[in-house]
Amino acid sequence: LPDSNTPAACEAFLQWTEGLRLTAALTVEVYGDASGANRSTSGSRTDWQIVKDFLGRQRRILVPSVRVTSANPPVKDRVNCVNALLCSYAQQRRLQISPRCRQLLRNFEQVRWKSDGHGNALPELDKSDPQRTHTSDALGYYIAREFAMRSTVGYRAERLL
Protein backbone atom coordinates (compact mmCIF):
# COMPACT_ATOMS: atom_id res chain seq x y z
CA LEU A 1 0.00 0.00 0.00
CA PRO A 2 1.98 3.01 -1.17
CA ASP A 3 1.68 6.13 0.99
CA SER A 4 -0.45 4.33 3.57
CA ASN A 5 -0.63 4.22 7.35
CA THR A 6 -0.88 1.47 9.95
CA PRO A 7 -4.69 1.49 10.46
CA ALA A 8 -5.27 1.43 6.68
CA ALA A 9 -2.80 -1.44 6.29
CA CYS A 10 -4.64 -3.38 9.03
CA GLU A 11 -7.98 -2.87 7.26
CA ALA A 12 -6.47 -3.92 3.91
CA PHE A 13 -5.06 -7.06 5.55
CA LEU A 14 -8.47 -7.91 7.01
CA GLN A 15 -10.08 -7.51 3.59
CA TRP A 16 -7.33 -9.56 1.89
CA THR A 17 -7.86 -12.47 4.33
CA GLU A 18 -11.63 -12.53 3.88
CA GLY A 19 -11.55 -15.47 1.48
CA LEU A 20 -9.18 -17.44 3.73
CA ARG A 21 -11.55 -17.38 6.72
CA LEU A 22 -14.10 -19.90 5.49
CA THR A 23 -15.17 -21.86 8.56
CA ALA A 24 -12.85 -21.08 11.45
CA ALA A 25 -10.78 -18.21 12.74
CA LEU A 26 -7.56 -17.69 10.81
CA THR A 27 -4.28 -18.04 12.71
CA VAL A 28 -2.05 -15.06 11.92
CA GLU A 29 1.65 -14.90 12.81
CA VAL A 30 2.93 -11.32 12.72
CA TYR A 31 6.60 -10.45 12.22
CA GLY A 32 8.21 -7.10 11.63
CA ASP A 33 10.53 -4.27 12.42
CA ALA A 34 11.22 -3.68 16.11
CA SER A 35 11.26 0.07 15.47
CA GLY A 36 7.48 -0.13 15.07
CA ALA A 37 7.44 -0.15 18.87
CA ASN A 38 8.87 3.40 18.93
CA ARG A 39 6.49 6.29 19.44
CA SER A 40 6.56 9.07 16.88
CA THR A 41 6.10 12.75 17.57
CA SER A 42 2.82 12.67 15.66
CA GLY A 43 1.07 10.05 17.79
CA SER A 44 0.82 8.67 21.28
CA ARG A 45 0.54 5.01 20.25
CA THR A 46 3.19 2.93 18.51
CA ASP A 47 2.55 1.10 15.24
CA TRP A 48 2.69 -2.23 17.08
CA GLN A 49 0.14 -1.00 19.64
CA ILE A 50 -2.16 -0.06 16.77
CA VAL A 51 -1.69 -3.51 15.16
CA LYS A 52 -2.26 -5.36 18.45
CA ASP A 53 -5.38 -3.31 19.23
CA PHE A 54 -6.74 -3.99 15.74
CA LEU A 55 -6.07 -7.74 15.99
CA GLY A 56 -7.62 -7.78 19.46
CA ARG A 57 -10.87 -6.41 18.01
CA GLN A 58 -10.87 -9.22 15.40
CA ARG A 59 -10.58 -12.17 17.82
CA ARG A 60 -13.72 -13.76 16.41
CA ILE A 61 -12.11 -14.20 13.00
CA LEU A 62 -8.33 -13.88 13.61
CA VAL A 63 -6.08 -15.64 16.14
CA PRO A 64 -2.93 -13.50 16.27
CA SER A 65 0.58 -14.29 17.43
CA VAL A 66 2.81 -11.21 17.32
CA ARG A 67 6.44 -12.30 17.06
CA VAL A 68 8.29 -9.02 16.93
CA THR A 69 11.59 -8.94 18.79
CA SER A 70 12.66 -6.05 21.02
CA ALA A 71 15.61 -5.28 18.73
CA ASN A 72 16.25 -5.83 15.04
CA PRO A 73 18.94 -8.27 13.98
CA PRO A 74 21.95 -6.67 12.30
CA VAL A 75 21.18 -5.96 8.63
CA LYS A 76 24.07 -8.13 7.41
CA ASP A 77 22.82 -11.09 9.48
CA ARG A 78 19.27 -10.65 8.16
CA VAL A 79 20.50 -10.55 4.56
CA ASN A 80 22.69 -13.61 5.14
CA CYS A 81 19.72 -15.54 6.58
CA VAL A 82 17.61 -14.77 3.49
CA ASN A 83 20.45 -15.60 1.11
CA ALA A 84 21.10 -18.90 2.91
CA LEU A 85 17.48 -19.97 2.32
CA LEU A 86 17.55 -18.84 -1.30
CA CYS A 87 20.72 -20.86 -1.95
CA SER A 88 22.92 -22.19 0.83
CA TYR A 89 26.65 -22.87 0.69
CA ALA A 90 25.73 -26.53 0.08
CA GLN A 91 23.55 -25.41 -2.89
CA GLN A 92 20.31 -26.19 -1.03
CA ARG A 93 17.34 -24.05 -2.03
CA ARG A 94 14.75 -23.85 0.74
CA LEU A 95 12.94 -20.67 -0.32
CA GLN A 96 11.15 -20.02 -3.58
CA ILE A 97 9.56 -16.71 -4.49
CA SER A 98 6.30 -16.66 -6.45
CA PRO A 99 6.38 -14.61 -9.67
CA ARG A 100 3.31 -12.80 -8.26
CA CYS A 101 5.59 -11.17 -5.62
CA ARG A 102 6.73 -8.53 -8.10
CA GLN A 103 7.89 -5.94 -5.56
CA LEU A 104 9.90 -8.52 -3.63
CA LEU A 105 11.55 -9.76 -6.84
CA ARG A 106 12.40 -6.17 -7.82
CA ASN A 107 13.97 -5.72 -4.39
CA PHE A 108 16.16 -8.77 -4.90
CA GLU A 109 17.20 -7.46 -8.31
CA GLN A 110 17.77 -3.81 -7.39
CA VAL A 111 18.68 -3.37 -3.70
CA ARG A 112 22.40 -2.97 -3.14
CA TRP A 113 24.75 -2.29 -0.26
CA LYS A 114 25.76 1.33 0.24
CA SER A 115 29.34 2.04 -0.75
CA ASP A 116 31.95 4.52 0.38
CA GLY A 117 33.73 7.01 -1.87
CA HIS A 118 36.14 4.27 -3.02
CA GLY A 119 33.40 1.84 -4.02
CA ASN A 120 33.82 -0.42 -0.98
CA ALA A 121 30.59 -1.97 0.28
CA LEU A 122 29.32 -0.74 3.65
CA PRO A 123 27.21 -2.88 6.06
CA GLU A 124 24.12 -0.81 5.28
CA LEU A 125 21.52 -1.16 2.53
CA ASP A 126 21.04 1.66 0.03
CA LYS A 127 17.58 2.99 0.83
CA SER A 128 17.71 5.93 -1.58
CA ASP A 129 14.84 4.52 -3.67
CA PRO A 130 11.65 4.85 -1.56
CA GLN A 131 10.07 1.98 -3.54
CA ARG A 132 12.76 -0.47 -2.44
CA THR A 133 13.72 -2.48 0.66
CA HIS A 134 10.30 -2.60 2.35
CA THR A 135 9.25 -6.04 1.10
CA SER A 136 12.71 -7.61 1.39
CA ASP A 137 13.09 -6.15 4.91
CA ALA A 138 9.72 -7.67 5.85
CA LEU A 139 10.74 -11.10 4.57
CA GLY A 140 14.09 -10.72 6.32
CA TYR A 141 12.51 -10.10 9.74
CA TYR A 142 10.49 -13.31 9.41
CA ILE A 143 13.42 -15.40 8.20
CA ALA A 144 15.88 -14.00 10.76
CA ARG A 145 13.40 -14.91 13.52
CA GLU A 146 12.42 -18.39 12.32
CA PHE A 147 15.56 -19.48 10.45
CA ALA A 148 18.34 -17.65 12.30
CA MET A 149 21.87 -18.61 11.45
CA ARG A 150 23.33 -20.58 14.31
CA SER A 151 26.98 -20.79 15.18
CA THR A 152 28.40 -24.31 15.35
CA VAL A 153 31.43 -23.20 17.38
CA GLY A 154 31.91 -21.03 20.43
CA TYR A 155 31.58 -20.95 24.19
CA ARG A 156 29.20 -23.39 25.86
CA ALA A 157 27.99 -22.70 29.39
CA GLU A 158 27.40 -26.33 30.43
CA ARG A 159 30.08 -28.78 31.53
CA LEU A 160 31.22 -31.23 28.89
CA LEU A 161 32.52 -33.92 31.28
Side-chain angles (χ1 to χ4, degrees):
L1 299 173
D3 299 321
S4 186
N5 57 48
T6 304
C10 289
E11 290 295 338
F13 174 77
L14 185 65
Q15 188 174 20
W16 182 79
T17 62
E18 197 170 282
L20 302 174
R21 297 180 266 118
L22 300 176
T23 57
L26 181 66
T27 299
V28 178
E29 295 178 354
V30 181
Y31 298 82
D33 189 336
S35 65
N38 297 337
R39 282 192 174 83
S40 72
T41 57
S42 62
S44 61
R45 296 187 323 156
T46 70
D47 286 329
W48 286 122
Q49 286 172 330
I50 294 169
V51 169
K52 288 176 183 177
D53 290 348
F54 176 84
L55 292 171
R57 290 190 304 271
Q58 308 302 326
R59 288 187 197 263
R60 237 182 357 95
I61 55 177
L62 298 175
V63 179
S65 172
V66 178
R67 298 177 176 193
V68 179
T69 57
S70 60
N72 290 329
V75 175
K76 189 97 171 160
D77 290 355
R78 197 174 71 227
V79 170
N80 286 339
C81 287
V82 173
N83 286 343
L85 287 188
L86 287 168
C87 186
S88 72
Y89 182 74
Q91 301 300 307
Q92 291 178 310
R93 297 175 194 282
R94 298 189 303 155
L95 174 66
Q96 294 180 340
I97 309 297
S98 168
R100 293 176 29 204
C101 298
R102 293 184 300 273
Q103 291 298 325
L104 179 59
L105 292 170
R106 284 189 193 116
N107 271 244
F108 286 146
E109 293 167 353
Q110 298 174 9
V111 172
R112 302 283 182 257
W113 294 107
K114 277 189 174 180
S115 58
D116 64 17
H118 301 288
N120 300 309
L122 299 172
E124 188 177 342
L125 294 177
D126 180 356
K127 295 188 177 246
S128 59
D129 182 348
Q131 296 297 313
R132 296 293 147 247
T133 73
H134 296 295
T135 54
S136 54
D137 283 349
L139 177 64
Y141 292 126
Y142 162 70
I143 289 175
R145 174 73 192 259
E146 295 299 325
F147 302 94
M149 299 181 91
R150 307 216 192 300
S151 175
T152 55
V153 296
Y155 175 78
R156 289 175 60 172
E158 71 266 11
R159 291 179 57 178
L160 298 176
L161 298 174

